[in-house]
Amino acid sequence: QVQLVESGGGLVQAGGSLRLSCAASGRTFSRYAMGWFRQAPGKERQFVATISWSGGTTYYADSVKGRFTISRDNAKNTMYLQMNSLKPEDTAVYYCAALRDTLGAVLYWGQGTQVTVSS
């Protein structure tokens, strides 16, 4: 079992930056690929980015490529999402997840953190 807690969300103006964190409990964090997903009001939850257990492989949705950076620190049991050049369409609840593998099924979800980008 892995428990995930997101933080770092908030309100930011378009063009601004935020860094989300996902803190994981347990000693098995480094065994999991991890990912970020988001869900805007009235829309389905969508993939944002994933990272392999070692951090050596990452994948991004086309909509965030070049603006967002996913990373992890296994010594701290923490994953990050650096979000730059934010746009109003990035407004959503952002969820972190532990994955079966880098592009695999979600095994555990966090509770989510709200990101709101004003125009």
Side-chain angles (χ1 to χ4, degrees):
Q1 186 83 13
V2 175
Q3 293 185 329
L4 305 172
V5 179
E6 302 94 333
S7 61
L11 174 64
V12 64
Q13 289 188 333
S17 299
L18 282 175
R19 189 176 82 155
L20 305 182
S21 298
C22 173
S25 64
R27 298 181 178 180
T28 60
F29 173 76
S30 61
R31 298 181 183 179
Y32 294 98
M34 299 291 295
W36 288 99
F37 297 76
R38 66 186 182 186
Q39 187 167 19
K43 296 188 176 181
E44 293 186 353
R45 194 170 299 187
Q46 61 178 197
F47 157 79
V48 174
T50 60
I51 187 166
S52 62
W53 68 270
S54 68
T57 301
T58 58
Y59 294 99
Y60 294 93
D62 287 343
S63 59
V64 306
K65 203 171 293 184
R67 299 188 299 122
F68 290 10
T69 302
I70 189 172
S71 62
R72 66 190 296 164
D73 185 337
N74 288 341
K76 295 182 178 180
N77 280 10
T78 303
M79 176 181 63
Y80 306 98
L81 185 68
Q82 178 66 43
M83 305 186 294
N84 298 329
S85 302
L86 283 161
K87 305 175 181 179
E89 51 264 44
D90 294 317
T91 295
V93 177
Y94 283 71
Y95 298 89
C96 72
L99 309 174
R100 187 174 301 280
D101 51 56
T102 311
L103 292 177
V106 173
L107 300 174
Y108 304 102
W109 289 105
Q111 85 289 349
T113 186
Q114 177 71 45
V115 171
T116 303
V117 184
S118 63
S119 57

